[in-house]
Amino acid sequence: MNILRSVIIAISTYSSIPMPQIKWAEDSTRYALCFFPITGGVIAGVMLLWPWLCTPLDSGAFIFAGGAPIVLQLVSAGLHMDGTCC
């Protein structure tokens, strides 16, 4: 069960996806660093939903390109936007 807690802590640390509240104890956070790539995979999965939503709506390239950073901002709470802010 501690591994599941570590996954929840990793996702809740680097995303704004609602997760259950877990007490941050040493046994709960021991493997959280190992699950940070899963957090990136979850964020990438949400980003893959954006073109899936835009294509049937025929939203156009402007809405698609303008909405992608907004979706990333909402999902990652701005943690991964530092490379695009130049």
Side-chain angles (χ1 to χ4, degrees):
M1 199 55 141
N2 288 336
I3 297 214
L4 181 61
R5 289 181 181 158
S6 295
V7 170
I8 291 172
I9 288 172
I11 292 174
S12 66
T13 301
Y14 286 105
S15 73
S16 61
I17 298 170
M19 298 300 288
Q21 295 294 319
I22 300 292
K23 182 180 177 186
W24 282 50
E26 184 178 342
D27 59 339
S28 298
T29 59
R30 178 172 300 175
Y31 300 108
L33 184 63
C34 298
F35 297 110
F36 285 160
I38 290 178
T39 304
V42 170
I43 292 172
V46 172
M47 290 302 296
L48 286 174
L49 291 175
W50 179 243
W52 180 77
L53 178 68
C54 287
T55 302
L57 295 177
D58 196 28
S59 61
F62 183 73
I63 298 295
F64 174 74
I70 294 171
V71 171
L72 182 61
Q73 174 76 24
L74 292 173
V75 174
S76 69
L79 291 173
H80 305 288
M81 297 293 288
D82 57 351
T84 60
C85 292
C86 317

